[in-house]
Amino acid sequence: MQPRMESPNPGPVEPPPQVRRSVAAVSRPAQAAARLSLPGVMDAEGRVDESRLRMHVFKNGGLPPSERGLAWRFLFGMYPCSSTALERPLLQEQMAVRYQVMKRKWQQFLPAAVPLHLNGTDAELVAAVRYFDQRQAQVQQQDQPEEVRDRRSFLMLQAQILFEREALEQAELQEAVRIIDKDVPRTSRDLSFYQDEGLGNLLVLRDILITYAAFHPEVGYAQGMNDLCSRFLEVLDSEVDTFWSFSCYMEKFSKDFRADGLTRKIELEAALLKELDPPLYDHLVTDGMESFTFCHRWLLLGFQREFAYSDALRLFEILSCDHLELISQQVDRARYQERLAQQSCVDADEESEAEPELQAVNTDFTFELFICAAILLENRENLLRCKDEVQLIQFTTRELWT
């Protein structure tokens, strides 16, 4: 059973007015050869020092808006950090062709799902379909040099061979489409990115989510993915780049969209609060509020609906850069080396004696859990006044963020 998300109370604060409103491009090949101006992050040939990029994101509280689009393509794994500026245009082209083949496959497999079925009462969505169709027509009319057409034909053949053995599950895909068609029209409609002609971006988002669900049946689609994927689409402004960046992100975090994965996070949050503030933990447990359901959305979406738009983006970057987790791994390695050095110094007569083990760093306690705990501790007096789960949910979803 997938976790159900509650409707947001305080909508996200509007991004700056200069945010574009047109329908996102199919791909952004110009970004392939672009260079990051962050000091020491990219070398002369365009390779990115991943550790420096992650350290920069963490220590500077996020990325500057001018660097965000390109940096995300490395931060989330769309481009290998080891790739050069000369190699990335071909990678971009290959990814665009593969996505095209994947999307076309589910559209041919389930043609009834190609159009978004409208109930006729949402005039804005009717307009969105028009904007989206205009973009599709423009893409089809683009004339390409013969050399490009030949190369894309070869890449298309490769992609068709690669995906022809992928068997799509009709019942599962139909159910995914049904839920996606409910969620997508409600996605961030108050943001400029989804207003006026930008309403067509809802259709772009829909195609990305269906393509992902079709080729990741072990994950499928769960409520909340539309909000996460929307975040990538707003920043990258590209259908192809969003699909691959979102897919890379989900390789690591798809477990959070399964009931057992999110339950594990909630258990860790409860254990952390018990360590940091036993009285507050005891109060929640005693009064039957130990399920911590109010934390579900915070942890699943990285506080996307709880903070202002720009702050939520910066926090998402910080949480996604894994800087603290990487430090924890370095600490573990250092302790292991120290243990080896200690063992080598032990006299032969003492080798049989048991050596005390150094406690390893628990990397399960990720930075987002500490952010969540900090919010709870900052509001502990109000939380202690909550007498039941109804009052708790009311406070954490409404009063806490006003």
Side-chain angles (χ1 to χ4, degrees):
M1 191 73 178
Q2 300 288 0
R4 302 298 294 177
M5 307 301 300
E6 295 187 2
S7 299
N9 179 55
V13 175
E14 273 281 351
Q18 69 268 22
V19 172
R20 58 211 170 267
R21 295 188 178 187
S22 58
V23 183
V26 174
S27 63
R28 291 284 183 191
Q31 289 283 5
R35 294 179 178 273
L36 285 169
S37 61
L38 303 176
V41 170
M42 184 178 281
D43 66 17
E45 294 184 333
R47 298 183 185 87
V48 169
D49 187 318
E50 184 176 5
S51 62
R52 288 190 177 185
L53 174 61
R54 295 180 183 277
M55 184 181 297
H56 175 87
V57 172
F58 187 84
K59 291 190 173 181
N60 291 279
L63 289 157
S66 61
E67 302 283 348
R68 179 166 283 142
L70 179 58
W72 277 35
R73 288 167 166 85
F74 295 101
L75 186 62
F76 293 101
M78 174 190 157
Y79 288 145
C81 289
S82 59
S83 64
T84 66
L86 291 176
E87 295 168 339
R88 285 194 288 273
L90 181 57
L91 290 173
Q92 170 83 37
E93 197 170 23
Q94 184 181 61
M95 286 185 286
V97 170
R98 288 188 174 185
Y99 174 76
Q100 180 183 352
V101 169
M102 296 165 76
K103 185 166 81 167
R104 184 179 300 170
K105 180 165 183 173
W106 73 254
Q107 289 177 337
Q108 293 174 345
F109 177 75
L110 206 63
V114 174
L116 173 64
H117 296 284
L118 304 173
N119 58 18
T121 61
D122 194 336
E124 290 184 334
L125 267 184
V126 174
V129 173
R130 182 173 68 250
Y131 299 138
F132 182 72
D133 290 343
Q134 288 173 354
R135 189 202 70 164
Q136 296 295 87
Q138 292 171 357
V139 171
Q140 293 174 0
Q141 292 172 2
Q142 289 177 352
D143 191 25
Q144 296 175 331
E146 184 177 354
E147 178 184 353
V148 174
R149 290 199 302 269
D150 290 344
R151 186 170 64 248
R152 288 183 69 89
S153 296
F154 175 71
L155 292 174
M156 184 75 71
L157 180 60
Q158 281 186 323
Q160 288 171 345
I161 295 173
L162 178 64
F163 293 111
E164 69 177 0
R165 289 173 292 184
E166 293 280 349
L168 305 184
E169 298 291 337
Q170 184 173 6
E172 292 181 3
L173 185 55
Q174 285 177 326
E175 177 62 13
V177 172
R178 184 187 69 80
I179 304 175
I180 289 170
D181 283 352
K182 283 187 175 182
D183 287 351
V184 163
R186 299 194 295 259
T187 304
S188 304
R189 293 281 286 269
D190 55 340
L191 296 181
S192 296
F193 188 77
Y194 292 108
Q195 293 176 354
D196 300 328
E197 185 177 339
L199 266 171
N201 289 317
L202 292 175
L203 283 300
V204 178
L205 177 64
R206 178 181 184 269
D207 279 355
I208 294 170
L209 291 170
I210 296 177
T211 305
Y212 178 83
F215 288 88
H216 297 83
E218 72 285 357
V219 180
Y221 175 82
Q223 200 169 21
M225 287 185 186
N226 60 311
D227 291 301
L228 275 176
C229 190
S230 171
R231 176 178 270 160
F232 283 96
L233 184 58
E234 292 166 45
V235 170
L236 302 180
D237 195 28
S238 162
E239 182 176 358
V240 170
D241 296 12
T242 296
F243 172 81
W244 291 109
S245 297
F246 175 71
S247 298
C248 290
Y249 176 87
M250 291 297 291
E251 283 183 12
K252 182 174 181 181
F253 294 102
S254 63
K255 61 182 181 297
D256 292 346
F257 288 88
R258 295 192 292 267
D260 56 342
L262 192 54
T263 298
R264 174 59 178 160
K265 272 196 172 182
I266 297 300
E267 291 173 347
L268 288 168
E269 184 61 45
L272 182 60
L273 184 62
K274 183 177 182 180
E275 181 70 23
L276 297 174
D277 193 332
L280 179 57
Y281 171 82
D282 290 340
H283 168 71
L284 296 179
V285 172
T286 302
D287 289 330
M289 296 178 280
E290 71 275 9
S291 60
F292 285 76
T293 54
F294 57 90
C295 293
H296 285 190
R297 190 175 71 198
W298 303 359
L299 297 173
L300 190 66
L301 302 183
F303 307 93
Q304 180 171 349
R305 297 179 182 176
E306 280 65 45
F307 293 110
Y309 177 85
S310 59
D311 292 338
L313 277 182
R314 290 167 54 222
L315 180 57
F316 182 66
E317 291 167 342
I318 294 168
L319 295 175
S320 300
C321 74
D322 296 330
H323 185 68
L324 287 187
E325 286 78 356
L326 291 174
I327 290 176
S328 297
Q329 293 171 13
Q330 293 170 1
V331 170
D332 273 342
R333 285 196 294 269
R335 287 183 170 182
Y336 176 71
Q337 294 296 330
E338 181 181 352
R339 193 155 52 238
L340 289 180
Q342 290 175 349
Q343 289 175 352
S344 64
C345 295
V346 174
D347 294 333
D349 296 338
E350 300 175 345
E351 284 184 354
S352 59
E353 296 182 8
E355 184 180 349
E357 286 289 322
L358 288 172
Q359 185 178 0
V361 175
N362 190 341
T363 56
D364 290 338
F365 288 97
T366 53
F367 190 38
E368 61 187 343
L369 296 176
F370 286 92
I371 294 286
C372 187
I375 294 172
L376 297 178
L377 294 177
E378 186 176 2
N379 294 274
R380 74 183 305 274
E381 297 305 321
N382 289 314
L383 293 172
L384 288 171
R385 284 195 287 268
C386 294
K387 300 303 182 184
D388 53 42
E389 193 165 26
V390 173
Q391 292 183 7
L392 183 65
I393 298 244
Q394 181 177 2
F395 173 74
T396 53
T397 58
R398 292 187 178 91
E399 301 171 28
L400 177 59
W401 308 104
T402 57

